[in-house]
């Protein structure tokens, strides 16, 4: 009987260990690859050339061209950028791991590439997360770090591009873009540039428009 109990305990341990879907606090690297590789079939944000899914608790605040400002249930803001130019030209990920960062990793998952780099500033953490030609930046407390990365994984893995629409948007202007420097994969952003974007989108001139255009996506 004791052997049976021990055996069942081992089975339960392995079963739960293989199906972890949430990122435990301060242990986000462990399950990040799993979250990114899990297939997504849900979409609630649609734009020309792409669509994606915002998980419950994440609010769409504003969009400017291919940039978007999001906010989660923990009051963290995310600056999202979709690089259709790099996607169209299939630019390769040339990111080098930064040993000076709090955390740095190059990602290659199911033929989709990117990186995550986290830099610590006092008690805050500046996160740059690139995956599948989309970049998300956020500036969070340590107790929200794993939760924020969890949300980023759900958003980034859900992106689906429409090649025919992108061809119509970019194909005719391909010559105009030939001198463009593809810099999405370069982790040269700073927390100051990110905060400038957030501040710009929250000035009095924008407030009314934001309230009028705000979309709650709590599916």
């Amino acid at each position: 009987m004791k052997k049976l109990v021990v055996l069942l305990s081992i089975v339960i341990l392995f079963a739960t260990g293989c199906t972890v879907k949430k990122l435990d606090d301060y242990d986000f690297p462990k399950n990040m690859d799993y979250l990114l590789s899990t297939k997504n079939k849900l979409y609630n944000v649609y734009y020309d050339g792409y669509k994606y899914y915002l998980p419950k608790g994440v609010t769409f605040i504003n969009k400017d061209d291919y940039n978007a400002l999001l906010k989660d249930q923990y009051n963290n803001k995310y600056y999202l950028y979709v690089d259709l130019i790099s996607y169209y030209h299939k630019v390769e990920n040339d990111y080098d791991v930064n040993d000076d960062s709090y955390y740095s990793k190059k990602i290659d998952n199911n033929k989709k590439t990117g990186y995550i780099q986290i830099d610590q500033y006092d008690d805050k953490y500046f996160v740059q997360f690139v995956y599948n030609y989309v970049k998300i930046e956020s500036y969070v407390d340590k107790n929200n770090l794993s939760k924020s990365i969890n949300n980023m994984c759900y958003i980034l893995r859900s992106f689906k591009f429409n090649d025919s629409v992108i061809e119509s948007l970019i194909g005719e202007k391909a010559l105009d873009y030939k001198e463009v420097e593809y810099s999405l994969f370069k982790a040269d952003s700073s927390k100051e540039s990110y905060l400038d974007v957030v501040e710009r989108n929250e000035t009095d001139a924008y407030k009314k428009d934001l309230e009028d255009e705000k979309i709650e996506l709590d599916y």
Side-chain angles (χ1 to χ4, degrees), residues 23-51:
L23 296 176
D24 297 328
D25 284 345
Y26 316 134
D27 195 25
F28 56 84
K30 188 175 182 179
N31 296 315
M32 190 165 56
D33 288 339
Y34 173 81
L35 288 176
L36 290 176
S37 63
T38 304
K39 292 184 179 180
N40 171 75
K41 296 182 180 179
L42 299 174
Y43 302 97
N44 52 21
V45 180
Y46 300 83
Y47 290 111
D48 289 342
Y50 60 91
K51 59 183 178 180

Side-chain angles (χ1 to χ4, degrees), residues 11 72 104 118 139 142 168 172-173 175 188 199 211:
V11 171
D72 68 15
S104 175
I118 304 172
Y139 192 49
K142 187 171 184 178
S168 67
E172 297 179 357
K173 299 180 180 179
L175 293 177
D188 55 1
E199 184 177 355
E211 290 301 318

